[in-house]
Amino acid sequence: MKVAVIGSGTMGSGIAQVAATAGCEVKIYDTNLDALAMSNSNLEETLSRLVEKGKINETEKSRIQNSISYANALNGLSDSELVIEAIVENLEVKRRLFSELEHFVSPQTILASNTSSLSIASIAASCQKPERVIGIHFFNPAPLMQLVEVIPAVQTSDEVLKTTTQTISDWKKVVAITKDTPGFIVNRVARPFYSESLRIYEEGVADFATIDWSLKTIGGFRMGPFELMDFIGNDVNYTVTETVFTAFYFDPRFKPSFAQKRLAEAGFFGRKSGRGFYNYSIELPSPNQDLILAKAIFDRVIVMLVNEAAEALFLNIASAKDIDNAMTKGVNYPKGLLAWADELGIAWCVEKLDSLYNEYHEDRYRCSALLRRMSKENKTFF
């Protein structure tokens, strides 16, 4: 298959590497020649490291490199069978690109966006053939992360969905098909990991280090929420939260945090700026290793995550299997949230959510109707 990737940044270059490794002929497009040169240089460095680690040999390295070429004009993509856009996360910019791109490729070319949360239907509407537009959302770094969310718009044809799903599967990725709603699966379901942890901090229940330690120790998460927000970048993480909150008509379940907003405004973006929730120029604080407190923090965060996963299933955003795969393969959660709910007990989850709602009387703590129904019927997700 002939594949074009628009955007030569970290994500675009990673997607190109994935496609080339799978045997595709790939072109990376960017208007910035220096960016294309950097992409080529970074690929050389990445593949050389893989050779050093024994993951590939020199022959495979050369094959992958020779499968990737570079272009700075859209007419150079005319023979592409699949085009994946990985540019700035701005709806109008993407719409202009897709509208222009359609003039340079064949009517059969599949046009895909790597957006993490924007409307695929809106992007597709900018095209004369919207039925060939689809979302293909990779996770960073694309060569390492197993999950890819595939998002058909309401206009997307069944044939395009089928071809896209098969293609991504052939690239040795785990496909999760999701409805075209804000945040898709991962960026929607994962919001409480950050937002409820921020709420716990804002209430003065515990500090950043203690909340992070609690979720890693009791829950087995690889990184705590504040470590992860600093790693992602508070500017990026806050913007995603705000985007999802706005797109869901200001549903309180997705309400952003002023604590994170102020950090972003101050330029405290996390590791990339040297300071975020943590100050990386000094010794990091030690957590309060009180296991009773840690369990209370974990219980509150996990039940909110379970509730969001159940709500996504209730509204047919994706299947139970795809929701759990999305969280384990897309953000490395130790367990799928719906399987975790079965383990904790559906009735326990409902009781915990009702307790939070009764305490706060805030709609953010409303229990999913699906959880309540399953508890009454004594059912499990799996």
Side-chain angles (χ1 to χ4, degrees):
M1 173 180 272
K2 294 183 177 181
V3 177
V5 179
I6 296 182
S8 61
T10 301
M11 180 58 80
S13 298
I15 294 170
Q17 181 186 331
V18 170
T21 300
C24 297
E25 184 180 322
V26 184
K27 289 181 181 177
I28 300 178
Y29 166 87
D30 203 302
T31 56
N32 187 325
L33 292 176
D34 290 337
L36 289 175
M38 181 63 72
S39 176
N40 189 14
S41 175
N42 289 341
L43 177 66
E44 164 68 30
E45 185 179 330
T46 297
L47 295 178
S48 294
R49 284 201 304 268
L50 291 176
V51 171
E52 290 172 8
K53 294 177 180 179
K55 300 291 181 67
I56 60 174
N57 57 31
E58 286 289 349
T59 301
E60 178 68 357
K61 175 188 172 183
S62 297
R63 185 195 68 77
I64 295 170
Q65 286 179 305
N66 292 334
S67 297
I68 299 177
S69 59
Y70 301 84
N72 68 337
L74 287 176
N75 59 12
L77 313 181
S78 59
D79 61 347
S80 302
E81 298 169 83
L82 168 64
V83 179
I84 302 176
E85 162 274 313
I87 62 171
V88 63
E89 193 75 342
N90 180 290
L91 181 60
E92 289 312 309
V93 173
K94 291 181 189 293
R95 282 170 56 87
R96 284 197 300 270
L97 171 65
F98 273 68
S99 179
E100 183 181 3
L101 179 62
E102 209 169 19
H103 298 294
F104 294 96
V105 297
S106 82
Q108 288 73 44
T109 302
I110 295 173
L111 305 182
S113 174
N114 184 61
T115 179
S116 61
S117 60
L118 297 176
S119 166
I120 304 301
S122 183
I123 295 171
S126 67
C127 294
Q128 295 176 3
K129 286 178 61 65
E131 66 274 11
R132 48 124 148 232
V133 177
I134 195 166
I136 303 178
H137 178 217
F138 286 80
F139 290 79
N140 199 22
L144 297 181
M145 299 303 289
Q146 292 179 281
L147 184 81
V148 175
E149 292 177 323
V150 171
I151 311 102
V154 291
Q155 305 100 310
T156 306
S157 73
D158 291 342
E159 186 59 33
V160 166
L161 174 59
K162 180 180 177 182
T163 300
T164 301
T165 302
Q166 186 60 57
T167 298
I168 301 303
S169 295
D170 290 344
W171 292 1
K172 309 302 182 187
K173 295 296 184 181
V174 175
V175 174
I177 299 174
T178 172
K179 191 180 288 186
D180 182 16
T181 55
F184 311 136
I185 301 172
V186 171
N187 279 320
R188 171 190 181 140
V189 174
R191 301 288 18 114
F193 188 64
Y194 314 111
S195 62
E196 197 58 25
S197 298
L198 281 159
R199 180 63 179 266
I200 290 168
Y201 161 74
E202 289 174 332
E203 290 178 11
V205 174
D207 59 17
F208 308 137
T210 299
I211 296 169
D212 280 347
W213 180 84
S214 299
L215 288 165
K216 290 188 292 183
T217 301
I218 305 296
F221 290 94
R222 295 186 186 183
M223 296 179 73
F226 298 99
E227 290 176 309
L228 187 52
M229 284 185 280
D230 273 358
F231 180 77
I232 294 168
N234 278 303
D235 51 338
V236 175
N237 187 267
Y238 177 80
T239 298
V240 172
T241 300
E242 190 174 50
T243 300
V244 171
F245 179 56
T246 303
F248 274 107
Y249 307 109
F250 307 102
D251 188 323
R253 297 203 326 275
F254 304 106
K255 186 178 181 180
S257 159
F258 278 115
Q260 188 176 28
K261 180 178 173 64
R262 294 296 180 256
L263 287 181
E265 290 171 341
F268 294 170
F269 299 145
R271 287 192 173 274
K272 63 185 177 184
S273 67
R275 183 172 177 181
F277 290 104
Y278 296 101
N279 185 341
Y280 295 94
S281 66
I282 61 175
E283 184 178 353
L284 299 183
S286 299
N288 174 3
Q289 298 186 12
D290 181 335
L291 288 175
I292 295 175
L293 174 62
K295 181 63 165 59
I297 291 168
F298 165 75
D299 286 354
R300 185 164 160 181
V301 173
I302 194 63
V303 77
M304 293 293 281
L305 285 166
V306 163
N307 197 45
E308 199 54 52
E311 191 71 0
L313 180 61
F314 180 56
L315 297 176
N316 295 302
I317 304 305
S319 68
K321 178 183 176 182
D322 281 353
I323 290 170
D324 271 14
N325 273 340
M327 305 316 292
T328 56
K329 309 295 186 184
V331 279
N332 291 320
Y333 279 15
K335 301 175 188 176
L337 292 170
L338 299 177
W340 216 334
D342 287 344
E343 182 181 305
L344 292 168
I346 305 297
W348 179 88
C349 294
V350 171
E351 182 181 350
K352 183 65 179 176
L353 286 162
D354 284 348
S355 175
L356 286 166
Y357 183 83
N358 290 336
E359 180 177 356
Y360 291 96
H361 288 276
E362 292 183 39
D363 213 28
R364 69 184 278 133
Y365 297 112
R366 69 183 186 272
C367 178
S368 170
L370 179 60
L371 281 178
R372 196 176 299 285
R373 185 183 302 162
M374 290 176 67
S375 176
K376 289 180 179 178
E377 298 174 359
N378 199 28
K379 288 184 176 180
T380 58
F381 288 107
F382 297 104

